[in-house]
Amino acid sequence: MMEVKKKLDVMIEGFRKLEQATINREERLEEMIVEKVSHYLEEQRERNNRQCNLIVHNIPESSSTQSEDRKAYDAKQVTDILDQLEVKDAGVTQPVRLGKKSNNTNKRPRLLKVTVSDEYVKKKALSNAKKLRQIDDEAMSIVYITPDLTYQERVQNRKLRADLNNRKEQGESELVIRNRRIVKSDQPFRGGGGRRQGRGGAEA
């Protein structure tokens, strides 16, 4: 009888440990789900916050010591560029230079982030940015415009470009990155967030 009781006690203890292990797994799974949902929502907030932003490269920086003067200069430079790209009434605001200011005058200008009036203006600016290469102006020819990407989007973009280069090295041709996918350049474009832009706004 004692032997049977011992076996029952062992079985009961085994079931108890199994039950606790199941509870622990469920708790860990719930934590993982909450964390993933939290990261997803944070990513969406970041994208929404950036949806009307542009990053403009290679615009010389103002030498003014006054912050407001530098901001006015930057906003005007971007407005003039967008006017040449036939993007009117862009409503350029909130110019911000990214990174720490350097005293080295030979260093490349810091990236310039600006906000425009709406997504239509942003997409038109990115679409027309390739025209910068056609302007007979040396200073303008090195300017290019890109979207303001989140960290996650930048990681995805680097991976896509690495995949694109690998496929080209393996002999595939006429490939581009479009709407976060690698496709043939002659494949019809279908909406869904706009074209992925490369340097100068040209499709990558």
Side-chain angles (χ1 to χ4, degrees), residues 58-61 98-110:
N58 295 331
I59 291 185
E61 298 190 42
L98 305 179
K100 185 176 180 180
K101 184 175 178 59
S102 172
N103 294 324
N104 184 355
T105 56
N106 294 322
K107 192 172 182 179
R108 177 178 292 184
R110 290 175 294 169

Side-chain angles (χ1 to χ4, degrees), residues 73-150:
Y73 167 87
D74 285 339
K76 185 178 187 306
Q77 293 298 304
V78 176
T79 298
D80 290 347
I81 289 170
L82 295 181
D83 281 345
Q84 293 201 53
L85 296 178
E86 301 177 356
V87 182
K88 306 298 182 182
D89 301 318
V92 176
T93 59
Q94 302 179 52
V96 177
R97 290 284 179 170
L98 305 179
K100 185 176 180 180
K101 184 175 178 59
S102 172
N103 294 324
N104 184 355
T105 56
N106 294 322
K107 192 172 182 179
R108 177 178 292 184
R110 290 175 294 169
L111 302 181
L112 174 57
K113 181 180 76 172
V114 298
T115 300
V116 292
S117 57
D118 53 47
E119 279 195 275
Y120 172 78
V121 168
K122 169 189 169 180
K123 290 179 181 179
K124 187 173 182 181
L126 291 169
S127 177
N128 289 1
K130 57 183 175 290
K131 295 179 181 178
L132 289 168
R133 307 284 80 78
Q134 303 165 9
I135 297 175
D136 187 18
D137 185 320
E138 184 177 351
M140 196 74 73
S141 69
I142 62 172
V143 172
Y144 62 97
I145 303 172
T146 58
D148 182 16
L149 303 178
T150 66

Side-chain angles (χ1 to χ4, degrees), residues 3-201:
E3 188 66 28
V4 172
K5 185 177 183 305
K6 286 182 180 180
K7 289 182 178 180
L8 284 174
D9 289 343
V10 171
M11 290 177 62
I12 291 171
E13 180 63 17
F15 284 130
R16 189 191 67 77
K17 289 181 178 179
L18 180 60
E19 181 182 24
Q20 187 60 48
T22 301
I23 292 172
N24 291 342
R25 281 197 297 269
E26 290 176 349
E27 289 177 348
R28 286 197 297 271
L29 180 59
E30 183 177 346
E31 290 173 358
M32 289 172 60
I33 292 172
V34 169
E35 184 178 1
K36 285 185 178 295
V37 169
S38 176
H39 286 168
Y40 171 80
L41 293 176
E42 179 61 28
E43 175 68 15
Q44 295 311 305
R45 279 193 292 269
E46 275 288 301
R47 294 188 185 192
N48 288 337
N49 290 340
R50 298 166 186 251
Q51 65 184 356
C52 293
N53 291 353
L54 292 169
I55 304 295
V56 188
H57 306 241
N58 295 331
I59 291 185
E61 298 190 42
S62 168
S63 59
S64 173
T65 58
Q66 301 299 314
S67 173
E68 291 305 312
D69 290 345
R70 294 197 301 270
K71 289 181 179 180
Y73 167 87
D74 285 339
K76 185 178 187 306
Q77 293 298 304
V78 176
T79 298
D80 290 347
I81 289 170
L82 295 181
D83 281 345
Q84 293 201 53
L85 296 178
E86 301 177 356
V87 182
K88 306 298 182 182
D89 301 318
V92 176
T93 59
Q94 302 179 52
V96 177
R97 290 284 179 170
L98 305 179
K100 185 176 180 180
K101 184 175 178 59
S102 172
N103 294 324
N104 184 355
T105 56
N106 294 322
K107 192 172 182 179
R108 177 178 292 184
R110 290 175 294 169
L111 302 181
L112 174 57
K113 181 180 76 172
V114 298
T115 300
V116 292
S117 57
D118 53 47
E119 279 195 275
Y120 172 78
V121 168
K122 169 189 169 180
K123 290 179 181 179
K124 187 173 182 181
L126 291 169
S127 177
N128 289 1
K130 57 183 175 290
K131 295 179 181 178
L132 289 168
R133 307 284 80 78
Q134 303 165 9
I135 297 175
D136 187 18
D137 185 320
E138 184 177 351
M140 196 74 73
S141 69
I142 62 172
V143 172
Y144 62 97
I145 303 172
T146 58
D148 182 16
L149 303 178
T150 66
Y151 172 77
Q152 187 61 40
E153 287 177 310
R154 293 196 298 272
V155 170
Q156 292 172 350
N157 200 41
R158 283 196 294 269
K159 184 178 184 305
L160 275 174
R161 290 186 180 280
D163 290 346
L164 178 66
N165 290 335
N166 288 337
R167 290 176 61 173
K168 285 183 175 180
E169 288 174 1
Q170 292 171 8
E172 294 188 67
S173 60
E174 299 182 350
L175 296 174
V176 295
I177 296 173
R178 183 180 293 164
N179 199 23
R180 300 193 182 98
R181 293 187 302 121
I182 298 174
V183 298
K184 284 287 188 179
S185 58
D186 58 356
Q187 180 174 320
F189 173 73
R190 304 185 184 280
R195 301 187 182 194
R196 175 67 59 196
Q197 304 293 332
R199 292 199 170 192

